[in-house]
Amino acid sequence: MSKKILITGCSSGFGLDAAKTLAQKGHHVYATMRAVDARNAAKAQELRDFAAAEGVSLSVHEMDVTSDESVQQAVREMDGVDVLITNAGYGYGGPVESFTADEFLAQLDLNIVGTARVANAVLPGMRAQSDGLIIQVSSTAGRAAFPGFGVYNASKWGLEGLSEAMRYELAPLGIDVVLVAPGPFETSFFENMKQGSRQEVMAAYGHVGEFFQGFEGTVRDLFANGEAPTDAHIVVDIFSQLIDMPHGKRPMRTIAGLDFGFQALTDASEPIRKGGLEALGVAEWDGPQG
């Protein structure tokens, strides 16, 4: 069945691929991004040209997920939303001490609060139709911490907690909330990663810099290995599979690609999570019933 799908962060990576792929599958896609008439004008036009050439239903909308006004204006341009994919985001890399409080807050605003802004804008419509799906794009960095990723870890761990609570709140209203946690993929993640402005403290953290460089090098070597699961389309296929699944069948968390063994962490914690819901008397709130 065709769905109306809002995707944030469509100027590159998972968002760009998902907008094209899901439109080709017969859905109407609202592809959103910042600066559609400026920095991302070429990407916005690429999507419009793709829609025209392929004869698919896809529209491009300006949306800055850190702005209430921008989010509300974009959603007003849309004729209802059945599925929301909160993909917009980027990472901050470096020792926690190297970031100012304002920089830390900016990371949280984008990766946590921004997802809630967009969800809050579409939820009235989903509640009115007693149906909907929200796919939150997290990260393996939301399952375990790494040196040099503390600020990013905080944003993704926060997104995990927010999304889990939303799942329980919205399931009785017919709305499903799920998490997709990609490992490293061939996107522009490292190129777009922002460093802290307090560079004067970096000399004390040479060990973190060495780890970070080594980790990035290892990941890039994996990107060059045709056998490693680093094709970004893997994540887009998961989006599509989750959309096609009926209520009652969608897992709360799906780890995609290189999982660093964290799939075992998820598998081990699931019985504990479900047991907690049983103890609280809300086991039936673990996603809408089929």
Coordinates of all heavy atoms in Angstrom, one line a residue, residues 143 164 168 252-253 263-279 283 286:
R143 N 24.5 2.6 21.3 CA 24.5 1.3 22.1 C 25.8 1.1 23.0 O 25.8 0.4 23.9 CB 24.4 0.1 21.2 CG 23.2 0.1 20.2 CD 21.9 0.1 21.0 NE 21.6 -1.2 21.6 CZ 20.9 -1.3 22.8 NH1 20.5 -0.3 23.5 NH2 20.6 -2.5 23.2
E164 N 12.4 4.9 22.9 CA 11.8 3.8 23.6 C 10.5 4.2 24.3 O 9.5 3.6 24.3 CB 12.8 3.2 24.5 CG 12.3 1.9 25.1 CD 13.5 1.1 25.8 OE1 14.6 1.2 25.4 OE2 13.2 0.4 26.8
Y168 N 6.2 3.3 23.7 CA 5.2 2.8 24.7 C 4.0 3.8 24.8 O 2.9 3.4 25.0 CB 5.8 2.7 26.1 CG 7.1 1.8 26.1 CD1 8.1 2.1 27.0 CD2 7.2 0.7 25.2 CE1 9.3 1.3 27.1 CE2 8.4 0.0 25.3 CZ 9.4 0.2 26.2 OH 10.5 -0.5 26.2
M252 N 11.7 -3.4 17.9 CA 12.0 -2.0 18.4 C 13.3 -1.5 17.9 O 13.4 -0.4 17.5 CB 12.0 -2.0 19.9 CG 11.9 -0.6 20.5 SD 12.1 -0.4 22.3 CE 13.9 -0.7 22.4
R253 N 14.3 -2.4 17.9 CA 15.7 -2.0 17.4 C 16.1 -2.9 16.3 O 16.0 -4.1 16.4 CB 16.7 -2.1 18.5 CG 16.6 -1.0 19.6 CD 17.7 -1.1 20.6 NE 17.7 0.1 21.5 CZ 17.0 0.1 22.6 NH1 16.3 -0.9 23.0 NH2 17.0 1.2 23.4
Q263 N 25.0 -6.4 18.4 CA 23.8 -7.1 18.2 C 23.6 -8.0 19.4 O 22.4 -8.2 19.9 CB 23.8 -7.9 16.9 CG 22.5 -8.7 16.6 CD 21.3 -7.8 16.4 OE1 21.3 -6.8 15.6 NE2 20.3 -8.0 17.2
A264 N 24.7 -8.6 19.9 CA 24.6 -9.5 21.1 C 24.1 -8.7 22.3 O 23.3 -9.2 23.1 CB 25.9 -10.1 21.4
L265 N 24.5 -7.4 22.4 CA 24.0 -6.6 23.5 C 22.5 -6.4 23.4 O 21.8 -6.5 24.4 CB 24.7 -5.2 23.5 CG 24.3 -4.2 24.5 CD1 24.6 -4.6 25.9 CD2 25.0 -2.8 24.2
T266 N 22.0 -6.1 22.2 CA 20.6 -5.9 22.0 C 19.8 -7.2 22.3 O 18.8 -7.2 23.0 CB 20.3 -5.5 20.6 OG1 20.9 -4.2 20.4 CG2 18.8 -5.4 20.3
D267 N 20.4 -8.3 21.8 CA 19.7 -9.6 22.0 C 19.6 -10.0 23.5 O 18.6 -10.5 24.0 CB 20.4 -10.7 21.3 CG 20.4 -10.6 19.7 OD1 19.5 -9.9 19.3 OD2 21.2 -11.2 19.1
A268 N 20.7 -9.7 24.2 CA 20.7 -10.0 25.7 C 19.8 -9.1 26.5 O 19.2 -9.5 27.5 CB 22.1 -9.9 26.2
S269 N 19.6 -7.8 26.0 CA 18.8 -6.9 26.8 C 17.3 -7.0 26.5 O 16.5 -6.5 27.3 CB 19.3 -5.4 26.6 OG 19.1 -5.1 25.2
E270 N 17.0 -7.6 25.4 CA 15.6 -7.6 25.0 C 14.7 -8.3 26.0 O 13.6 -7.8 26.4 CB 15.4 -8.2 23.6 CG 15.4 -7.2 22.5 CD 14.3 -6.2 22.5 OE1 13.2 -6.5 22.1 OE2 14.5 -5.1 23.1
P271 N 15.1 -9.5 26.5 CA 14.3 -10.2 27.6 C 14.1 -9.3 28.8 O 13.0 -9.3 29.5 CB 15.0 -11.5 27.8 CG 15.8 -11.7 26.6 CD 16.2 -10.4 26.1
I272 N 15.2 -8.6 29.2 CA 15.1 -7.7 30.4 C 14.1 -6.6 30.1 O 13.3 -6.2 31.0 CB 16.5 -7.2 30.7 CG1 17.4 -8.4 31.0 CG2 16.4 -6.2 31.9 CD1 18.9 -8.0 31.1
R273 N 14.2 -6.0 28.9 CA 13.3 -4.9 28.6 C 11.8 -5.4 28.6 O 11.0 -4.7 29.2 CB 13.6 -4.3 27.2 CG 12.8 -3.1 26.8 CD 13.1 -2.7 25.3 NE 12.7 -3.6 24.3 CZ 11.4 -3.7 23.9 NH1 10.5 -2.9 24.3 NH2 11.1 -4.6 22.9
K274 N 11.6 -6.5 28.0 CA 10.2 -7.0 27.9 C 9.7 -7.4 29.3 O 8.6 -7.3 29.6 CB 10.2 -8.2 26.9 CG 10.3 -7.8 25.5 CD 10.2 -9.0 24.5 CE 10.4 -8.6 23.1 NZ 9.2 -7.8 22.6
G275 N 10.7 -8.0 30.1 CA 10.3 -8.3 31.5 C 9.9 -7.1 32.3 O 9.0 -7.2 33.1
G276 N 10.6 -6.0 32.1 CA 10.3 -4.8 32.8 C 8.9 -4.3 32.4 O 8.1 -3.8 33.3
L277 N 8.5 -4.4 31.1 CA 7.2 -4.0 30.7 C 6.1 -4.9 31.3 O 5.1 -4.4 31.7 CB 7.1 -4.1 29.2 CG 7.9 -3.1 28.4 CD1 7.8 -3.3 26.9 CD2 7.6 -1.6 28.7
E278 N 6.4 -6.2 31.4 CA 5.5 -7.1 32.1 C 5.3 -6.7 33.5 O 4.2 -6.7 34.0 CB 6.0 -8.5 32.0 CG 6.0 -9.2 30.6 CD 4.7 -9.8 30.2 OE1 3.8 -9.7 31.0 OE2 4.6 -10.3 29.1
A279 N 6.4 -6.4 34.2 CA 6.3 -6.0 35.6 C 5.5 -4.8 35.8 O 4.8 -4.6 36.8 CB 7.7 -5.9 36.2
A283 N 2.9 -4.6 29.0 CA 3.5 -5.3 28.0 C 2.9 -5.1 26.6 O 3.6 -5.2 25.6 CB 3.5 -6.8 28.3
D286 N 4.2 -2.5 23.8 CA 5.4 -2.6 23.1 C 5.2 -2.7 21.6 O 5.4 -3.7 20.9 CB 6.1 -3.9 23.6 CG 7.6 -4.0 23.0 OD1 8.1 -3.0 22.6 OD2 8.1 -5.1 23.0

